[in-house]
Amino acid sequence: MRTRPLKVALLGCGVVGSEVARIMTTHADDLAARIGAPVELAGVAVRRPSKVREGIDPALITTDATALVQRGDIDVVVEVIGGIEPARTLITTALENGASVVSANKALLAEDGAALHAAAEKYGRDLYYEAAVAGAIPLVRPLRESLAGDKVNRVLGIVNGTTNFILDKMDTSGAGYSEALDEATALGYAEADPTADVEGFDAAAKAAILAGIAFHTRVKIGDVHREGITEVTAADIASARGMGCTVKLLAICERAADGASVTARVHPAMIPLSHPLASVREAYNAVFVEAEAAGQLMFYGPGAGGSPTASAVLGDLVAVCRNKLGEATGPGESAYTRLPVSPMGEVVTRYHISLDVADKPGVLAQVATVFAEQGVSIDTVRQQGKDGEASLVVVTHRAPDAALSGTVEALRKLDTVRGVASIMRVEGE
């Protein structure tokens, strides 16, 4: 074993960063044995130096992150500060100055991953980011390495623990959205500002990363169709249950049947209770990968939190340090297919549409005519009503999303339709 330690700089020492530092210290001997050399925490960049950080030598703390990553003796920079800037500049500077990088920054990778990969390639360094997608769940490395010889056609999963917790509570306890969100916040699953989670931004960034790796093409967060869960109601949950389904916020990345394009989307959807994703409870994540030769693979586990995310960071750290010792680099960006990302309107989906309608003869015929005119086939219809008011629930067969959206707009114009109570896609069949 080499005795000279590999030096690691840590950018950020919050929930994840502090766990990374703790594991590096408490598992130092094991890490050294697995890597083939000891690893040494050489500096920790923070915004508030006065905060007490148990187990970390105060002499390592600095507020000058730029100076830390510019040190010529740093072998690996671990970035867990998040956001676009200064993270982007710090990562690029680290690569320029000879350090490989391990990051958990999904927002930055989804927005500017191509430029970061280009910088890593230019300077002959590693850029690893297992922790950016699904916490402790090994997903990036299986896609980049284990399935490198296969053709991935679809990635479908729950990649945000906060929204899964909220939807699970709405389903199992009958709570409304606000009540379930309050419980998630009290338990620490939701941030004080939960927008990134509940509006789907977090899941969309992860979908962009997964689609890019799975399909060997460049997908940015702006290419991902995004809908959050804030409009999901108790009535939607009840309707799903009546169909033998539950509601999940899904990230779906697909290769077109002809292989000429890909799609990436995040939205709530009804899935059958028989589907394995339906049983994913509370704040857990699970992802299905469908490959041509391997078939269906499922990855399941905690998708967030200090310890789970730190586990993924340390896994990358070990891999990058091994590469350093072997004077090699791991897999970089693979974007050779250059496939276009199709808009949501071209995606073929199913819809569950709940309408408030007048309770009188001919309403169903009018509604059916609208579907026929838009070229959308109806799978099932349920109708009930009294005292002049009624509800009509229509589940469609698969059709282009644009046609389904056009159908909804046409239905709104009918005099007999008092309102569209809910619209939700149906997946997993």
Side-chain angles (χ1 to χ4, degrees):
M1 179 186 294
R2 193 180 87 166
T3 57
R4 184 173 67 81
L6 293 162
K7 294 189 176 184
V8 178
L10 180 60
L11 306 183
C13 198
V15 173
V16 176
S18 60
E19 275 296 291
V20 170
R22 183 189 67 79
I23 295 172
M24 284 185 64
T25 301
T26 58
H27 294 180
D29 291 342
D30 286 337
L31 291 172
R34 294 166 191 171
I35 292 169
V39 287
E40 173 188 312
L41 189 59
V44 183
V46 299
R47 287 185 297 178
R48 295 185 293 276
S50 59
K51 181 179 177 180
V52 176
R53 293 172 173 85
E54 187 176 346
I56 298 178
D57 183 352
L60 297 178
I61 302 297
T62 178
T63 57
D64 193 344
T66 300
L68 180 59
V69 299
Q70 285 178 333
R71 283 174 46 176
D73 63 335
I74 298 296
D75 294 290
V76 184
V77 169
V78 175
E79 183 272 311
V80 288
I81 57 178
I84 305 301
E85 288 291 357
R88 173 167 47 200
T89 299
L90 291 171
I91 289 175
T92 303
T93 302
L95 294 168
E96 290 174 352
N97 284 270
S100 290
V101 172
V102 173
S103 176
N105 196 331
K106 53 189 166 286
L108 176 58
L109 288 159
E111 177 62 33
D112 212 16
L116 297 180
H117 276 293
E121 182 177 2
K122 177 180 179 181
Y123 297 107
R125 306 301 169 193
D126 275 324
L127 174 64
Y128 276 48
Y129 44 88
E130 184 69 67
V133 175
I137 304 174
L139 193 55
V140 171
R141 196 171 293 119
L143 284 172
R144 287 210 300 187
E145 300 179 32
S146 303
L147 295 174
D150 207 340
K151 180 181 180 183
V152 175
N153 292 316
R154 194 171 193 237
V155 179
L156 165 74
I158 298 164
V159 295
N160 183 272
T162 300
T163 52
N164 198 58
F165 180 89
I166 292 170
L167 293 173
D168 181 52
K169 288 302 175 183
M170 292 176 70
D171 184 36
T172 58
S173 70
Y177 168 78
S178 297
E179 184 182 353
L181 174 58
D182 288 343
E183 184 175 355
T185 303
L187 292 172
Y189 292 130
E191 302 287 345
D193 179 3
T195 303
D197 292 320
V198 299
E199 294 292 356
F201 290 102
D202 175 85
K206 295 171 180 176
I209 295 170
L210 290 174
I213 299 171
F215 307 134
H216 303 279
T217 197
R218 287 178 178 168
V219 180
K220 299 178 69 172
I221 191 169
D223 299 320
V224 181
H225 174 82
R226 175 192 54 80
E227 298 173 29
I229 66 166
T230 56
E231 301 300 318
V232 177
T233 65
D236 293 327
I237 302 293
S239 292
R241 194 179 301 115
M243 291 176 57
C245 294
T246 189
V247 177
K248 298 292 186 182
L249 183 73
L250 298 180
I252 306 171
C253 311
E254 295 177 302
R255 188 191 301 269
D258 63 4
S261 65
V262 299
T263 60
R265 50 194 166 107
V266 168
H267 55 71
M270 296 181 179
I271 59 173
L273 293 175
S274 59
H275 195 285
L277 289 179
S279 62
V280 178
R281 302 286 308 281
E282 298 197 335
Y284 278 76
N285 285 188
V287 178
F288 263 90
V289 177
E290 298 177 9
E292 199 166 85
Q296 284 192 339
L297 307 172
M298 183 173 176
F299 300 83
Y300 169 84
S307 293
T309 305
S311 171
V313 170
L314 267 295
D316 278 351
L317 179 63
V318 169
V320 168
C321 287
R322 286 171 175 170
N323 290 343
K324 277 276 184 179
L325 291 180
E327 298 183 348
T329 55
E333 183 188 34
S334 175
Y336 71 91
T337 63
R338 294 184 173 85
L339 296 173
V341 182
S342 298
M344 185 63 192
E346 296 179 11
V347 175
V348 176
T349 63
R350 299 180 67 207
Y351 264 32
H352 173 282
I353 304 170
S354 180
L355 305 171
D356 295 326
V357 299
D359 186 16
K360 63 182 184 180
V363 173
L364 181 55
Q366 288 183 337
V367 169
T369 297
V370 168
F371 277 89
E373 290 174 346
Q374 296 292 325
V376 177
S377 177
I378 295 175
D379 183 14
T380 62
V381 178
R382 299 199 315 272
Q383 184 176 11
Q384 60 183 19
K386 62 180 180 179
D387 301 327
E389 298 296 330
S391 64
L392 191 64
V393 177
V394 179
V395 180
T396 73
H397 286 293
R398 290 168 62 83
D401 199 79
L404 290 162
S405 298
T407 301
V408 172
E409 291 306 309
L411 290 170
R412 294 182 194 275
K413 297 176 182 178
L414 292 179
D415 293 338
T416 51
V417 174
R418 307 290 169 79
V420 179
S422 69
I423 310 166
M424 191 168 294
R425 295 176 183 87
V426 182
E427 298 284 348
E429 294 184 308

